[in-house]
Amino acid sequence: MMFKTIRPLFLAALVLTGMSLHAQSFSDQQLLVRVDALASFFDTDFSAEYTIVQDRPGQALSTTVAGIFRRDANETYVIVVMQPLANRGQGYLRQGNTLWVYDPQSRRFNTTSNTARFQNTNARNSDFTRSTLAQDYRIISGEDAALGRFRTRVLTLEAVTPDVTFPRMRVWICEEGLLRKTEDMSLSGQLLRTTAIPDYHRIDGRFVPTQILFVDALRGAYIDGRFVNERTQITINRPSFNRIADSVFSKTFLESVSR
C-alpha cells in the first residue's frame, strides 16, 4: 500500500539526534520570514493536483483528488474536488477572510473555518494556502538539531493572533529555509499533529512539496493492542506557475465545474 512505501522516509524524517549545527547565517526571525517567502508565491499564480490519501487504522484507505488554484498576491484560492465520484464538484473559495464551501447537490455556498478539517482528513483548510508564520507567531526559543539527513533550526512558536489553526508550534527548518517538520500543539502544549515534508519539487527557483504527511496525535484506533495513529498523505502532482484566469477565483467557476 502507498503508506508502506513512505513510512521509512517518514520515520527517518522524524528521528532527531543531538548533533550540533553551525551558527545560523540568519536570525531566527529572519529564518521564519524566509520560510514564509519560500512557501508563498506573490509574483505568480500557482496550481497543482493534490492526491490526498486518508489512512484510518482498521479501515480501507480513502483517496481524494483535488485541483488547487492559488493567487497569493490577493490572498485567494480555489479547491475543486475531482474524486471520489460521490464528492465530485465540491469546491472551496477563499475571498479575503471568508472561506466558502460549495455543495453541488444543494447548489449552495456555506462558510467554513480555515481551521476545519479538509474533507474529514487530518489536513486542515489552512494547509492549502500561503505561509504566514512570521506574522502569526512569536518565537519563544530556538535550537540547532539534526533531523535525519537535514541540519535544522528548531523554533518553538506561540500565536499572536486567535485566527491560527494551532496556538503553539515547533518547526524544523533546514539550511535552505524550507520547512521539514512541524509539531502542532494546543495552548497547553499537548501535541495534536505532526507534519513531515521530506522532499520538494524545485521549479525555476521555487519550491513546492513533493509529499506532505500528517500524523494525528489523538485520532486512531487500537490494532492488536497497539494504538495506531490516523494519517493523511498528500502527493502534489503537476505543479504549475502559469497565469490563472481571473474567472477561476469566483463562485461562478465553482458552479460551472460541477455541472
Side-chain angles (χ1 to χ4, degrees), residues 6 23 26 46 59 115 121 155 187 194 209:
I6 198 172
F26 299 100
F46 169 74
Q59 302 180 35
T115 65
T121 68
L155 303 180
L187 188 59
T194 299

PDB file of all heavy atoms in Angstrom, residues 6 23 26 46 59 115 121 155 187 194 209:
ATOM      1  N   ILE A   6       6.011   5.033   2.205  1.00  0.00           N
ATOM      2  CA  ILE A   6       6.502   6.289   2.747  1.00  0.00           C
ATOM      3  C   ILE A   6       6.950   6.173   4.196  1.00  0.00           C
ATOM      4  O   ILE A   6       7.693   6.990   4.695  1.00  0.00           O
ATOM      5  CB  ILE A   6       5.443   7.397   2.622  1.00  0.00           C
ATOM      6  CG1 ILE A   6       6.112   8.776   2.768  1.00  0.00           C
ATOM      7  CG2 ILE A   6       4.333   7.241   3.633  1.00  0.00           C
ATOM      8  CD1 ILE A   6       5.204   9.921   2.464  1.00  0.00           C
ATOM      9  N   ALA A  23      26.500  27.814  13.253  1.00  0.00           N
ATOM     10  CA  ALA A  23      25.739  29.021  13.571  1.00  0.00           C
ATOM     11  C   ALA A  23      24.916  29.451  12.359  1.00  0.00           C
ATOM     12  O   ALA A  23      25.371  29.352  11.217  1.00  0.00           O
ATOM     13  CB  ALA A  23      26.695  30.144  13.984  1.00  0.00           C
ATOM     14  N   PHE A  26      21.185  33.496   9.398  1.00  0.00           N
ATOM     15  CA  PHE A  26      20.021  34.342   9.613  1.00  0.00           C
ATOM     16  C   PHE A  26      19.686  34.353  11.107  1.00  0.00           C
ATOM     17  O   PHE A  26      19.928  33.382  11.812  1.00  0.00           O
ATOM     18  CB  PHE A  26      18.795  33.811   8.851  1.00  0.00           C
ATOM     19  CG  PHE A  26      18.973  33.764   7.363  1.00  0.00           C
ATOM     20  CD1 PHE A  26      19.290  32.575   6.730  1.00  0.00           C
ATOM     21  CD2 PHE A  26      18.778  34.904   6.592  1.00  0.00           C
ATOM     22  CE1 PHE A  26      19.431  32.524   5.358  1.00  0.00           C
ATOM     23  CE2 PHE A  26      18.915  34.857   5.219  1.00  0.00           C
ATOM     24  CZ  PHE A  26      19.246  33.670   4.598  1.00  0.00           C
ATOM     25  N   PHE A  46      -0.335  29.892  -8.782  1.00  0.00           N
ATOM     26  CA  PHE A  46       0.118  28.515  -8.563  1.00  0.00           C
ATOM     27  C   PHE A  46      -1.074  27.578  -8.698  1.00  0.00           C
ATOM     28  O   PHE A  46      -2.169  27.869  -8.208  1.00  0.00           O
ATOM     29  CB  PHE A  46       0.734  28.353  -7.172  1.00  0.00           C
ATOM     30  CG  PHE A  46       0.985  26.919  -6.773  1.00  0.00           C
ATOM     31  CD1 PHE A  46       2.036  26.214  -7.336  1.00  0.00           C
ATOM     32  CD2 PHE A  46       0.168  26.268  -5.856  1.00  0.00           C
ATOM     33  CE1 PHE A  46       2.275  24.884  -6.993  1.00  0.00           C
ATOM     34  CE2 PHE A  46       0.397  24.947  -5.510  1.00  0.00           C
ATOM     35  CZ  PHE A  46       1.456  24.253  -6.077  1.00  0.00           C
ATOM     36  N   GLN A  59      -9.486   0.447   8.679  1.00  0.00           N
ATOM     37  CA  GLN A  59     -10.405   0.737   7.584  1.00  0.00           C
ATOM     38  C   GLN A  59      -9.631   0.804   6.270  1.00  0.00           C
ATOM     39  O   GLN A  59      -8.403   0.939   6.254  1.00  0.00           O
ATOM     40  CB  GLN A  59     -11.128   2.065   7.820  1.00  0.00           C
ATOM     41  CG  GLN A  59     -11.929   2.138   9.104  1.00  0.00           C
ATOM     42  CD  GLN A  59     -12.616   3.477   9.264  1.00  0.00           C
ATOM     43  OE1 GLN A  59     -13.055   4.091   8.298  1.00  0.00           O
ATOM     44  NE2 GLN A  59     -12.737   3.928  10.518  1.00  0.00           N
ATOM     45  N   THR A 115      -9.646  26.677   9.885  1.00  0.00           N
ATOM     46  CA  THR A 115      -9.036  25.681  10.771  1.00  0.00           C
ATOM     47  C   THR A 115      -9.715  24.316  10.679  1.00  0.00           C
ATOM     48  O   THR A 115      -9.233  23.356  11.274  1.00  0.00           O
ATOM     49  CB  THR A 115      -9.094  26.160  12.229  1.00  0.00           C
ATOM     50  OG1 THR A 115     -10.466  26.243  12.642  1.00  0.00           O
ATOM     51  CG2 THR A 115      -8.454  27.534  12.379  1.00  0.00           C
ATOM     52  N   THR A 121     -10.233  14.756   6.683  1.00  0.00           N
ATOM     53  CA  THR A 121      -8.909  14.142   6.762  1.00  0.00           C
ATOM     54  C   THR A 121      -8.134  14.792   7.904  1.00  0.00           C
ATOM     55  O   THR A 121      -8.664  15.608   8.657  1.00  0.00           O
ATOM     56  CB  THR A 121      -8.132  14.313   5.446  1.00  0.00           C
ATOM     57  OG1 THR A 121      -7.807  15.715   5.262  1.00  0.00           O
ATOM     58  CG2 THR A 121      -8.951  13.810   4.256  1.00  0.00           C
ATOM     59  N   LEU A 155      12.455  25.925  16.006  1.00  0.00           N
ATOM     60  CA  LEU A 155      11.883  27.090  16.658  1.00  0.00           C
ATOM     61  C   LEU A 155      10.579  26.707  17.352  1.00  0.00           C
ATOM     62  O   LEU A 155       9.742  26.016  16.769  1.00  0.00           O
ATOM     63  CB  LEU A 155      11.609  28.199  15.640  1.00  0.00           C
ATOM     64  CG  LEU A 155      12.790  28.682  14.799  1.00  0.00           C
ATOM     65  CD1 LEU A 155      12.340  29.778  13.837  1.00  0.00           C
ATOM     66  CD2 LEU A 155      13.930  29.175  15.682  1.00  0.00           C
ATOM     67  N   LEU A 187      -2.669  25.202  23.252  1.00  0.00           N
ATOM     68  CA  LEU A 187      -2.053  26.261  24.042  1.00  0.00           C
ATOM     69  C   LEU A 187      -1.325  25.695  25.253  1.00  0.00           C
ATOM     70  O   LEU A 187      -0.315  26.235  25.699  1.00  0.00           O
ATOM     71  CB  LEU A 187      -3.126  27.266  24.484  1.00  0.00           C
ATOM     72  CG  LEU A 187      -2.630  28.537  25.165  1.00  0.00           C
ATOM     73  CD1 LEU A 187      -1.687  29.312  24.243  1.00  0.00           C
ATOM     74  CD2 LEU A 187      -3.811  29.418  25.575  1.00  0.00           C
ATOM     75  N   THR A 194       1.548  15.926  13.918  1.00  0.00           N
ATOM     76  CA  THR A 194       2.916  16.051  13.408  1.00  0.00           C
ATOM     77  C   THR A 194       2.864  16.050  11.890  1.00  0.00           C
ATOM     78  O   THR A 194       2.133  15.270  11.280  1.00  0.00           O
ATOM     79  CB  THR A 194       3.798  14.891  13.898  1.00  0.00           C
ATOM     80  OG1 THR A 194       3.848  14.917  15.329  1.00  0.00           O
ATOM     81  CG2 THR A 194       5.212  15.004  13.346  1.00  0.00           C
ATOM     82  N   PRO A 209       6.315  21.334  -2.099  1.00  0.00           N
ATOM     83  CA  PRO A 209       6.467  19.994  -1.524  1.00  0.00           C
ATOM     84  C   PRO A 209       6.087  18.893  -2.513  1.00  0.00           C
ATOM     85  O   PRO A 209       5.134  19.044  -3.285  1.00  0.00           O
ATOM     86  CB  PRO A 209       5.500  20.019  -0.333  1.00  0.00           C
ATOM     87  CG  PRO A 209       5.378  21.460   0.029  1.00  0.00           C
ATOM     88  CD  PRO A 209       5.446  22.197  -1.264  1.00  0.00           C
TER      89      PRO A 209
END
